Amino acid sequence: MADDPSGGDPVKHAEDYSSVAAPWHTALVIAIVAAWAYRGVLRAAELRSVVGGHRVGFYAQTIAAEWILLGIVLLGVWLHKGRLSRVLGKQWNSARGAGRDFGIGLLFWLGSTVVLAIVASLLRSTQKSRDVEFLLPHGGTEKLLWIAVSISAGICEEAVFRGYLQQQFLALTRSAPAAITISAMLFGLAHAYQGWRGTVVIGTLGLLLGILAHWRGTVRTGMIAHAWQDSVAGLLGGLMKH
């Protein structure tokens, strides 16, 4: 690895095929993700059938689940005596390094928005769908909670899917494209409650975020882009609905 001249996280130039946790732990995490996805599908079906929905409870449960899953991942890394910074990204040691990641994250968000719009268009899902309408926030309280959900998703999901699972699959397959693709597929399936079109679109986003993490050698840039993506999409979607 070579140090980033900006003073931020190091950018990866050589592959690191070492695992960050034991195989049994990775199997456990995948099982939890699968159970979480299944429960999300059932819960989403309930919410779609209720006029107005109960989004506050859904948001709160989502936030709790995100952080619990991250805690389980970090515990496994700690038990394996792995470096937590490989999952969470190394701390910024300068304002310039942080600014660099924020800037790249913003550019990534702009570019990925175009790509996802194209994918959604090909899937004929550009019109509002009942698959996702129930998620959109209404009113001040729900909008604040939505932002909290988005920040939690940005931090936790990037650490879990890109920082942890992608590295584990890289250690298993010794192939960056394979690791990125497998983790992106799991990322999409974890959001199956948004319908099959949403699963494909989010899986595509996971693919792009995986490439970004591999290129940057850190998940911090993706955390920023992911949190911003979710926040803007939800808040603008709620406004357009009304």
Side-chain angles (χ1 to χ4, degrees):
M1 289 195 180
D3 290 337
D4 184 340
S6 69
D9 290 333
V11 178
K12 186 184 296 183
H13 293 289
E15 298 290 6
D16 185 348
Y17 296 118
S18 60
S19 61
V20 293
W24 67 264
H25 183 264
T26 302
L28 174 63
V29 170
I30 293 174
I32 293 173
V33 169
W36 178 11
Y38 179 68
R39 186 182 185 284
V41 170
L42 296 180
R43 180 63 173 146
E46 294 175 5
L47 288 176
R48 291 189 188 101
S49 66
V50 177
V51 177
H54 297 287
R55 283 174 292 271
V56 170
F58 185 77
Y59 293 166
Q61 290 175 17
T62 300
I63 292 172
E66 296 275 10
W67 288 100
I68 289 172
L69 180 58
L70 178 58
I72 293 172
V73 163
L74 296 180
L75 177 61
V77 176
W78 179 77
L79 290 173
H80 193 66
K81 301 187 185 303
R83 288 179 295 161
L84 298 182
S85 61
R86 292 183 65 189
V87 174
L88 298 173
K90 290 189 176 180
Q91 294 183 352
W92 292 304
N93 53 28
S94 71
R96 184 179 178 184
R100 184 186 182 92
D101 275 340
F102 272 93
I104 294 175
L106 178 59
L107 290 174
F108 173 87
W109 169 69
L110 293 172
S112 63
T113 298
V114 174
V115 174
L116 296 181
I118 293 173
V119 172
S121 178
L122 292 174
L123 294 174
R124 298 181 179 179
S125 62
T126 53
Q127 294 182 343
K128 295 170 189 174
S129 167
R130 292 196 72 221
D131 289 338
V132 296
E133 278 188 354
F134 77 98
L135 288 170
L136 302 177
H138 301 251
T141 299
E142 288 187 4
K143 288 176 181 177
L144 287 175
L145 276 174
W146 178 269
I147 293 173
V149 169
S150 299
I151 293 173
S152 295
I155 295 172
C156 300
E157 291 180 9
E158 289 311 298
V160 171
F161 288 95
R162 257 64 66 181
Y164 176 78
L165 286 175
Q166 187 166 301
Q167 181 60 35
Q168 291 295 84
F169 291 131
L170 180 61
L172 176 65
T173 65
R174 294 185 173 272
S175 168
I180 292 170
T181 301
I182 296 170
S183 61
M185 290 173 62
L186 287 174
F187 182 62
L189 290 173
H191 295 79
Y193 61 85
Q194 295 191 28
W196 74 267
R197 290 183 178 86
T199 298
V200 173
V201 172
I202 293 173
T204 302
L205 175 60
L207 194 67
L208 297 174
L209 285 165
I211 294 171
L212 176 67
H214 185 72
W215 168 57
R216 289 291 294 149
T218 179
V219 297
R220 293 215 170 188
T221 313
M223 287 177 176
I224 295 165
H226 189 155
W228 184 255
Q229 168 81 25
D230 286 3
S231 296
V232 172
L235 294 178
L236 287 181
L239 288 174
M240 291 174 65
K241 185 176 179 181
H242 298 288

